[in-house]
Amino acid sequence: MISRDCFFIAIDNALICWDFKRHKQYQLSVEHAHRLISLIYDQSCSDSSDAVAEDLKRCKVMLDSPGGENDWGWDVLSRIFHIGTKDIVPENQPASEHEWAVQYLEHCNDVLSEASPVESSWGVGGGIQLPGFCAADKFDEVLARRATARAFHHLPISIAELGKILHHTLGFVEGRVLSNQQGGVEQFSKRRSSPSAGGLNATEGYVYVANVEGLEPGIYYYDPHRHQVHWRSQLAPKLGDLLSGQHFANDIPVGLFLTSRFDKLWWKYEHSRAYRMALIEVGHVAQTFQLAATAGGMSTWLTGALNESSIESLLKLETSDEQVIFFVGCGYSDGSAIPNCLKSLLK
Ligand SMILES: Cc1cc2nc3c(=O)[nH]c(=O)nc-3n(C[C@H](O)[C@H](O)[C@H](O)COP(=O)(O)O)c2cc1C
C-alpha cells in the first residue's frame, strides 16, 4: 500500500514524492514512477519484491499497512500542511543558551547577506490625513507597553495573578451567554474576550507552571467553565528543549500552550479553509494573553517554534482531534528584547 503520508507532484519534468510526515522528498525515476502507478492501481502486485518495489518500501513510500492517521476531519490539504510543518526539529537543535545564541547569530548573518524586501510604496503621496489623538487611557498604555521580552527575572508570579490572566484569556465573559432561543447550541453559548471561529471556542490552554506561588510546578489544563486548573504532567527538564532550543526562555515562570480542538471545527466546517481559522483564533487568544499579562505589569514572550510531538505527550493529547499550535509566556522582566546569552556573545 502507498503511504498516506506522501503526496506526489510533478516539478521540472520529474515526479517528486514528498513524505510530509518524515520531511523527506524523493525524485522518482521513470521506472520508479511507473512502478508506483501500477502499485496504486493494481493491488495484486503490491506484495511484489523486485528491486524497484524494495526501494519504495525502504523509503516508506510503500508500506505493508497504509500508515498515517485516517481520523483527519478535513480534506487532505490541511493535513499535508499541518503534519508537514509539525516537528521540524533541527538536526543540531541548540542544547544550551550559548548554542542557541551562536546559531541565531549565524542565521542573522545569513539572512542579512541578502538584500531585504523593499517596503510597499503605496504610502507615498496622495494620502488623506486622519485626525491625531492623545494616547492617555489605560488601554493606550497597555498597548504601548506590550513588547516581546527575552530575559526574565527569577521571580514567581502569584496564583491570583495567574488566575486573572487565564480568566481574561480563556475564561468566559460573565453575562455574555447566548440563549437557546437565538438558535444556539447550549455547549457553545458562552463567549470569550477574544473572537472564536463559529463560536466553538476551539482554542484550549495548557498552563506551563514553573514558578507560581501556590501551585506545584507542572503542566495543567485550564478549564474555562469552572475556572480551575487540572494536573496533566511533570515539567520537561528545560522549556527550551520543547521550543526548538530557545533556551533563553527557560526562566519564564509561567506560560500557556495553546491548542486547537480540530474536531470541533471538523464538526461544523468541512473544508480545509477552516484550518486557517483555527490558527487565526489561536492568534487572537495569544494577543489577549499578552495584553492581560502586560496589564498586570509583566512582560511576555511567544513562539510557534514548537517540538509538537514532545509537547503533545506532556499535554496528554493522543489523537489528531486536538493539536498544539502556539506558546505564550509571561513573567517579570526588565523588558530586554535581546537575551542575555546573545548580549554576551555580541560583547
Ligand atoms: C507568530 C509569531 C511567532 C513568533 N515566534 C517567535 C520565536 O520563536 N521566538 C522569539 O523570540 N520571538 C518570536 N516572536 C516575536 C517576534 O520576534 C516579535 O513579535 C517581533 O520582533 C516584534 O517585536 P515586539 O513583539 O516586541 O513588538 C514571534 C511573533 C509572532 C507574531
Side-chain angles (χ1 to χ4, degrees), residues 146-148 150 246 248 301-305 326:
R146 199 271 336 139
T148 304
R150 294 185 186 81
Q246 299 184 82
F248 56 83
W301 181 70
L302 66 168
T303 186
F326 210 57

Side-chain angles (χ1 to χ4, degrees), residues 5 20-21 23 68-74 78-88 201-206 221 232 256-266 275 277-283 303-304 306-327:
D5 298 328
F20 55 90
K21 188 164 187 181
H23 312 301
E69 305 107 18
N70 199 16
D71 56 351
W72 190 260
W74 287 304
S78 53
R79 181 163 184 272
I80 291 174
F81 183 76
H82 185 77
I83 306 294
T85 54
K86 184 174 173 174
D87 292 326
I88 309 287
N201 294 318
T203 305
E204 300 271 7
Y206 294 78
Y221 168 70
R232 299 300 273 189
L256 200 55
F257 287 107
L258 293 169
T259 67
S260 181
R261 283 278 308 271
F262 290 166
D263 60 335
K264 285 189 177 181
L265 292 153
W266 292 336
Y275 176 74
M277 306 311 142
L279 303 188
I280 291 166
E281 182 175 313
V282 166
T303 186
L306 314 177
N307 299 7
E308 287 90 346
S309 292
S310 310
I311 296 167
E312 283 165 2
S313 72
L314 286 178
L315 270 42
K316 308 263 192 269
L317 306 180
E318 277 149 17
T319 68
S320 301
D321 289 0
E322 183 175 0
Q323 306 240 347
V324 70
I325 308 285
F326 210 57
F327 175 85

Side-chain angles (χ1 to χ4, degrees), residues 14 24 107 150 188 299 322 333 344:
K24 293 203 159 124
H107 169 72
R150 294 185 186 81
F188 302 118
S299 295
E322 183 175 0
S333 160
S344 316

Side-chain angles (χ1 to χ4, degrees), residues 108-125:
C108 289
N109 286 334
D110 272 359
V111 172
L112 291 172
S113 66
E114 291 199 16
S116 63
V118 289
E119 283 296 331
S120 157
S121 57
W122 294 120
V124 180

Side-chain angles (χ1 to χ4, degrees), residues 4 12 33 41 49 63 84 148 154 232 252 266 288 298 305 315 339:
R4 278 202 195 104
D12 295 339
Y41 285 99
S49 53
L63 303 169
T148 304
H154 290 278
R232 299 300 273 189
I252 284 181
W266 292 336
T288 304
M298 283 171 243
L315 270 42

